[in-house]
Every structure is written in C-alpha cells, then in structure tokens.
Amino acid sequence: MTQLDQQVHSIGPEVTGSRIFKFIAFLYGIAAYLVFFVTILYAIGFVMGVMVPKTIDTGSDSSTVEALIVNLLLMSLFALQHSVMARKQFKAWWTQFVPKPVERSTYVLFASLSLLLLFWQWRPLPSVIWSVENPDVAVTLVTLSFAGWVLVFTSTFMINHFELFGLHQVTDHLAGKEAAPPRFKTPLLYKFVRHPIYLGFIIAFWAAPTMTAGHLLFAAVTTLYIFVGIALEENDLVDLFGEEYRQYRQRVSMLIPWRRSV
Ligand SMILES: C[S@@+](CC[C@H](N)C(=O)[O-])C[C@H]1O[C@@H](n2cnc3c(N)ncnc32)[C@H](O)[C@@H]1O
C-alpha cells in the first residue's frame, strides 16, 4: 500500500461519521457559503460599477497587452476550476481525499476564491465602446442588468439554492441523513428555458449603459464560457437523467424562451 493509499483509507466513515467531524463539516459548509455570498454580492458591484472599492473599470494602470493577458488568465483560471471540478470523473477522484459531505462546499469555496482573485487582480481597459446618452435608456439598461442578477438568484432557489451551494449536504450529514440522489427538476422558469441562471448572468453582464473595452472583454469571454459550460453540463445531465433530459432538451429552449435552437 502506498503512502497515498493509506491517506485515502484514513478518510473513511469512521472519520466522517464521527460527531466532531459532522460538526466541523457543518461549520466549514457555513463558512464556504458565507464566502460565496460575499463573493456574489461583490460580483454585482464589480460588474455594475457600484458600491465596491474596485470595479471592472478601476484598478492599477497597465498596458493594453498586460491587461489582456492578465484578464484572460484570470478568466481561464476560473473557467478551468469551475468546469474541471464540476465533472463526474474529477469528483470521483478527489472525493478520495475530500470527504463527500464537504465536496460541494469545497467546490463552492474554490470557485469563490478564484473569482475574488479575479476581482482583485483585474486590469481595467477604459476605452469606451458605447455610452448611452439618453437617461431613460441608461436607467433601463441598469435595471435590466439588476434584473439579470435577480434572475440568477431566484433561479438558484428553483432548483435548490442550498444544495447548489453545499449547505444542504452538510446539514443532512450533521442530522445523520443519507445524501439524497440528484433529482431532475423543471419548476417555473425551467419550463421556459433550460438555463435561467446562465441567462441571468448574460443579461447582467451585457446590459451596461457604458461599455468599456474591459467590460466587453469580460462579457464576451464569460458568455463564450457559458456556452462551453452548458455543453459540458448537458452531457452530464444526459448521463444522469437519460431520456428524461433528452426529451426536455427537445421540448425546451436553451436560453431564449420559445426559440428551440438557442
Ligand atoms: C450552476 S447550476 C446551473 C443550472 C442551469 N444550468 C441554469 O443555468 O439554471 C449547475 C447545477 O445545476 C444542475 N442542474 C441543471 N439543470 C438542472 C435541472 N433541470 N434539474 C436539476 N438539476 C439541474 C446541474 O447538474 C449542476 O449541478
């Protein structure tokens, strides 16, 4: 037996089933959730350019090339972390080291930390691509962007907010309940589009009265990543729910209600 095998063996039910582990896991889940919550609130201010010390359009001066390289690296790091750690094969591998009840919380924590790094290190690209002069149109765009964030937040509650962010798993474990298998759901908005959370992000990122080059880069790359993320997520969902998800995909559009192809 290698040293690694011995370590893997040490995180068994005799450890995860103990009362002290359950309690520490619960505290860890709450801490990860709080970090996520602060991160998503900061993200709103960062993208909308309000109420936070550093926004998408502020930060240290740098050359265009440096800004492009740093920003693309930061977004790639988030995309890699987010996609790789969400895959079935990765989860099967790393739950040998990370106990299952805190797997989702750890994923949420890593995703939040990579986003916080992005906010911190983001380089502004201040050239203005468009600027809406009409105050009514400008207010409409700000309202639309905010509505995008509301769509993200409310949609998470439609499929299960607390499970998505790991709290459900640690509370069930604390209560000694077995983790329930994932369930396919199509409540409310999920009857009109398959990905309301991602639709909310796209709206929130693009609806800007003033669009700088930096903001445009962020919106364009994240939108591209959302399409890649959707393809990966839907592969997993077909694996998980089979024919039920295939039929859902035929019946319901991806992002734009009543437009089957997108
Ligand atoms: C960040 S959420 C995004 C959900 C969806 N793509 C959206 O944009 O609203 C990703 C998680 O939701 C799960 N998921 C996506 N659609 C689902 C559905 N209809 N029912 C249950 N879980 C779903 C995926 O398996 C994944 O774990």
Side-chain angles (χ1 to χ4, degrees), residues 104-105 107-108 155-157 159-169 190 197:
R104 189 70 191 178
S105 295
Y107 172 78
V108 168
S155 303
T156 63
F157 281 97
I159 45 175
N160 194 342
H161 178 86
F162 296 109
E163 191 179 305
L164 214 49
F165 300 106
L167 269 186
H168 198 87
Q169 292 82 334
Y190 284 82
I197 296 178

Coordinates of all heavy atoms in Angstrom, one line a residue, residues 104-105 107-108 155-157 159-169 190 197:
R104 N -19.1 19.5 -2.2 CA -19.8 20.7 -2.8 C -19.3 22.0 -2.2 O -19.0 23.0 -2.9 CB -21.3 20.6 -2.8 CG -22.0 21.6 -3.6 CD -21.9 21.3 -5.1 NE -22.4 22.4 -5.9 CZ -22.3 22.5 -7.2 NH1 -21.8 21.5 -7.9 NH2 -22.8 23.5 -7.8
S105 N -19.2 22.0 -0.9 CA -18.8 23.3 -0.2 C -17.3 23.6 -0.6 O -17.0 24.8 -0.8 CB -18.8 23.1 1.3 OG -20.1 22.9 1.8
Y107 N -15.9 22.9 -3.5 CA -16.1 23.4 -4.9 C -16.5 24.8 -4.8 O -15.9 25.7 -5.5 CB -17.1 22.5 -5.6 CG -17.5 23.0 -7.0 CD1 -16.7 22.8 -8.0 CD2 -18.7 23.7 -7.2 CE1 -17.0 23.2 -9.3 CE2 -19.0 24.1 -8.4 CZ -18.2 23.9 -9.5 OH -18.6 24.4 -10.7
V108 N -17.5 25.1 -4.0 CA -18.0 26.5 -3.9 C -17.0 27.4 -3.4 O -16.8 28.6 -3.9 CB -19.3 26.5 -3.0 CG1 -19.7 27.9 -2.6 CG2 -20.4 25.8 -3.7
S155 N -33.5 31.9 -9.6 CA -33.4 30.6 -10.3 C -32.7 29.5 -9.4 O -33.0 28.4 -9.5 CB -32.7 30.7 -11.7 OG -33.4 31.6 -12.5
T156 N -31.7 30.0 -8.7 CA -31.0 29.0 -7.8 C -31.9 28.4 -6.8 O -31.8 27.3 -6.5 CB -29.8 29.7 -7.1 OG1 -30.3 30.7 -6.2 CG2 -28.7 30.2 -8.0
F157 N -32.9 29.2 -6.4 CA -33.9 28.7 -5.4 C -34.9 27.7 -6.1 O -35.4 26.9 -5.4 CB -34.7 29.8 -4.7 CG -33.9 30.5 -3.6 CD1 -33.1 31.6 -3.9 CD2 -33.8 29.9 -2.4 CE1 -32.4 32.2 -2.9 CE2 -33.0 30.5 -1.4 CZ -32.3 31.7 -1.6
I159 N -34.1 25.4 -8.4 CA -33.6 24.0 -8.4 C -33.1 23.6 -7.1 O -33.1 22.4 -6.8 CB -32.6 23.7 -9.5 CG1 -31.5 24.7 -9.7 CG2 -33.2 23.4 -10.9 CD1 -30.4 24.3 -10.7
N160 N -32.7 24.4 -6.2 CA -32.3 24.1 -4.8 C -31.1 24.9 -4.5 O -30.0 24.4 -4.6 CB -32.2 22.6 -4.5 CG -32.1 22.4 -3.0 OD1 -31.9 23.4 -2.2 ND2 -32.4 21.2 -2.5
H161 N -31.3 26.1 -4.0 CA -30.2 27.0 -3.7 C -29.2 26.4 -2.7 O -28.0 26.4 -2.9 CB -30.8 28.3 -3.1 CG -29.8 29.3 -2.6 ND1 -29.3 30.2 -3.5 CD2 -29.3 29.5 -1.4 CE1 -28.5 31.0 -2.8 NE2 -28.4 30.6 -1.6
F162 N -29.7 25.8 -1.6 CA -28.9 25.3 -0.5 C -28.1 24.1 -0.9 O -27.0 23.9 -0.4 CB -29.7 25.2 0.8 CG -30.2 26.5 1.2 CD1 -31.6 26.7 1.2 CD2 -29.4 27.5 1.7 CE1 -32.1 28.0 1.6 CE2 -29.9 28.7 2.1 CZ -31.2 29.0 2.0
E163 N -28.6 23.3 -1.9 CA -27.9 22.1 -2.3 C -26.8 22.6 -3.3 O -25.7 22.1 -3.3 CB -28.9 21.2 -3.0 CG -28.3 19.8 -3.4 CD -29.4 19.0 -4.0 OE1 -30.5 18.8 -3.5 OE2 -29.1 18.5 -5.1
L164 N -27.2 23.5 -4.1 CA -26.2 24.1 -5.1 C -25.0 24.6 -4.5 O -23.9 24.5 -5.0 CB -26.9 25.2 -5.9 CG -26.6 25.4 -7.4 CD1 -26.7 24.1 -8.2 CD2 -27.6 26.4 -8.0
F165 N -25.1 25.2 -3.3 CA -24.0 25.8 -2.6 C -23.5 25.0 -1.4 O -22.8 25.6 -0.5 CB -24.3 27.3 -2.3 CG -24.6 28.1 -3.5 CD1 -25.9 28.4 -3.9 CD2 -23.6 28.3 -4.5 CE1 -26.2 29.1 -5.1 CE2 -23.9 29.0 -5.7 CZ -25.2 29.3 -6.0
G166 N -23.9 23.8 -1.3 CA -23.3 22.9 -0.4 C -23.8 22.8 1.0 O -23.5 22.0 1.8
L167 N -24.8 23.7 1.4 CA -25.3 23.8 2.8 C -26.1 22.6 3.1 O -26.1 22.0 4.2 CB -26.1 25.1 3.0 CG -25.3 26.3 3.5 CD1 -26.3 27.4 3.8 CD2 -24.5 25.9 4.8
H168 N -27.0 22.2 2.1 CA -27.9 21.1 2.3 C -27.1 19.8 2.7 O -27.5 19.1 3.6 CB -28.5 20.9 0.9 CG -29.8 20.1 1.0 ND1 -31.0 20.6 1.2 CD2 -30.0 18.7 0.8 CE1 -31.9 19.7 1.2 NE2 -31.3 18.5 1.0
Q169 N -26.0 19.6 1.9 CA -25.2 18.4 2.2 C -24.6 18.3 3.6 O -24.7 17.3 4.2 CB -24.0 18.3 1.2 CG -24.4 18.1 -0.3 CD -24.8 19.4 -1.0 OE1 -25.3 20.3 -0.4 NE2 -24.7 19.4 -2.3
Y190 N -37.7 27.1 -15.4 CA -37.1 25.9 -16.1 C -38.0 25.3 -17.1 O -37.7 24.4 -17.9 CB -36.6 24.9 -15.1 CG -35.3 25.4 -14.4 CD1 -35.3 26.3 -13.4 CD2 -34.0 25.0 -14.9 CE1 -34.2 26.7 -12.8 CE2 -32.9 25.4 -14.3 CZ -32.9 26.3 -13.3 OH -31.8 26.8 -12.7
I197 N -30.3 30.5 -14.9 CA -29.2 31.1 -14.2 C -28.2 31.7 -15.1 O -27.8 32.9 -15.0 CB -28.5 30.0 -13.2 CG1 -29.5 29.5 -12.2 CG2 -27.2 30.6 -12.6 CD1 -28.9 28.5 -11.3

